[in-house]
């Protein structure tokens, strides 16, 4: 979200940004897995829109069919949005027309004359300006040596183990989603979201439990979380699909406190700059773009 929000603003102003993503498609933790007739949003569960700028983006995506409202029964007083057909829907909608290179992992960022060289397994890219919106540990590896290390050291991110369950028949516990302060911090009937398939459930372990069990094998973590879920809810049918996913850098717990870091033509930002919300990632990306445009006199 941060990288594409930044690139979208730059492209709309007439610059030519390239977005490089080591994943298969843009979206990051706004991720969805589809398998065996089930759909799992195993990263971000929903997002809200509180600023005028982000609300405009969400409304545009709503009109385009890339976002829908999910009634999760929380009664939070503000809409909870989800992407369509998966959580990355609004990111992909914003990315239309951008130069996006997926499946490329940048391994080093080096200064070179008046610009930068970004090295990867297949070669390198030259750039006038570099903006990193990766999670803090990767950003520190890539650009920390250029003056950001001390600031990045102050930021803390928590891990999260996610459990994905697919059942052959509907299960109704009397609620759509539930947040707790226990080891199972979030339980959601993911199949109740617009556009999702099957009786799919997503469970997120708490940051504390996830950190304490971070190096479990995925099947072991999935089995333990399913046992904990049955202890909480009572016996459940055997799932026809079960899998665990480890997010090492899931949620910022101590943010930077301002929108981005900057050293000349090198920038870094993301949700870790402002807080653990999708909108915070958008705001950081937009702020970086505005700073670049101001420096460029645009």
């Amino acid at each position: 979200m941060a990288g594409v929000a930044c690139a979208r603003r730059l492209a709309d102003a007439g610059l030519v940004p390239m977005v490089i993503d080591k994943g298969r498609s843009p979206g990051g933790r706004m991720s969805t897995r589809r398998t065996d007739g089930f759909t799992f949003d195993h990263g971000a569960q929903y997002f809200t829109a509180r600023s005028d700028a982000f609300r405009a983006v969400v409304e545009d995506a709503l009109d385009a069919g890339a976002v829908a409202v999910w009634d999760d029964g929380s009664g939070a007083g503000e809409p909870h949005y989800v992407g369509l057909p998966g959580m990355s829907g609004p990111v992909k909608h914003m990315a239309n027309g951008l130069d996006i290179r997926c499946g490329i992992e940048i391994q080093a960022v080096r200064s070179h004359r008046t610009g930068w060289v970004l090295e990867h397994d297949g070669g390198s890219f030259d750039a006038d300006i570099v903006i990193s919106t990766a999670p803090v540990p990767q950003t520190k590896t890539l650009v920390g040596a250029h003056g950001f290390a001390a600031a990045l050291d102050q930021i803390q991110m928590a891990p999260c183990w996610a459990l994905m369950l697919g059942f052959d028949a509907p299960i109704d516990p009397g609620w759509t989603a539930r947040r707790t302060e226990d080891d199972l911090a979030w339980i959601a009937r993911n199949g109740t979201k617009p556009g999702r398939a099957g009786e799919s459930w997503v469970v997120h372990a708490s940051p504390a439990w996830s950190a304490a069990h971070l190096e479990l094998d995925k099947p072991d973590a999935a089995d333990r979380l399913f046992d904990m879920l049955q202890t909480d809810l009572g016996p459940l049918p055997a799932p026809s699909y079960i899998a665990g996913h480890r997010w090492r850098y899931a949620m910022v717990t101590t943010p930077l406190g301002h929108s981005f870091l900057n050293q000349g033509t090198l920038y870094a930002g993301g949700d870790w700059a402002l807080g653990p919300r999708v909108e915070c990632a958008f705001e950081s990306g937009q702020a970086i773009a505005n700073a670049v445009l101001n420096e460029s006199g645009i």
Side-chain angles (χ1 to χ4, degrees), residues 106-153:
I106 300 301
Q107 296 170 330
V109 175
R110 307 194 188 283
S111 59
H112 179 67
R113 296 178 184 170
T114 60
W116 301 91
V117 176
L118 286 72
E119 299 176 354
H120 59 94
D121 276 342
S124 63
F125 297 104
D126 294 331
D128 297 318
I129 299 168
V130 170
I131 300 160
S132 174
T133 58
V136 167
Q138 290 97 328
T139 291
K140 185 176 179 182
T141 297
L142 290 174
V143 301
H146 299 289
F148 294 158
L152 291 170
D153 281 343

Side-chain angles (χ1 to χ4, degrees), residues 161-188:
W161 268 110
L163 170 66
M164 293 165 276
L165 297 169
F167 297 99
D168 291 332
I171 299 173
D172 186 1
W175 38 263
T176 300
R178 193 179 76 183
R179 189 184 303 277
T180 77
E181 300 296 324
D182 301 325
D183 287 342
L184 299 183
W186 171 261
I187 307 169

Side-chain angles (χ1 to χ4, degrees), residues 21 36 63 88 111 132 150 167 183 204 215 229 238 263 292:
D21 195 319
D36 297 344
D63 292 341
S88 62
S111 59
S132 174
F167 297 99
D183 287 342
H204 280 175
E215 301 305 332
L229 183 65
Q263 287 282 355
V292 169

Side-chain angles (χ1 to χ4, degrees), residues 14-87:
L15 298 186
V16 187
M18 177 194 297
V19 179
I20 303 170
D21 195 319
K22 73 174 183 178
R24 289 176 294 179
S25 63
R29 282 162 288 160
M30 297 178 71
S31 184
T32 298
R33 182 180 298 186
R34 297 174 181 84
T35 184
D36 297 344
F38 300 107
T39 304
F40 304 99
D41 301 323
H42 54 305
Q45 295 297 291
Y46 62 84
F47 54 92
T48 56
R50 297 170 185 171
S51 67
D52 290 342
F54 192 55
R55 193 175 298 115
V57 168
V58 171
E59 289 174 355
D60 180 63
L62 279 165
D63 292 341
V67 164
V69 176
W70 177 40
D71 182 6
D72 61 0
S74 67
E78 61 182 347
H80 285 181
Y81 298 103
V82 296
L84 291 175
M87 282 301 295

